[in-house]
Amino acid sequence: MVGFLLWVLLLVFCWPLALLALVLYPIVWLLLLPFRLVGITVDAVFSLLKAILFLPARVLGARPG
């Protein structure tokens, strides 16, 4: 809701900038999408490595802390 109100305020005071932001937002989102996917992949790889490293301790009965 706050984002919408800020956009309306920008539209009232500086409508060309608001329209430019409205047009550029999807383009910037599409450009940043590969970086988000890489971040999700790296996080998944680190979680897998953590699970593999802690597997012997879990098998031996250690409680997750």
Side-chain angles (χ1 to χ4, degrees):
M1 186 66 184
V2 174
F4 177 72
L5 291 176
L6 287 174
W7 191 86
V8 170
L9 188 68
L10 184 64
L11 179 64
V12 169
F13 288 114
C14 187
W15 61 269
L17 187 61
L19 291 178
L20 183 68
L22 189 65
V23 169
L24 288 180
Y25 180 77
I27 296 170
V28 171
W29 186 83
L30 282 174
L31 287 174
L32 292 179
L33 187 60
F35 297 107
R36 296 179 77 187
L37 293 175
V38 167
I40 291 169
T41 304
V42 169
D43 186 44
V45 168
F46 282 141
S47 295
L48 177 65
L49 288 174
K50 179 182 174 187
I52 291 171
L53 288 174
F54 287 139
L55 181 62
R58 294 185 68 186
V59 169
L60 292 175
R63 296 184 185 146

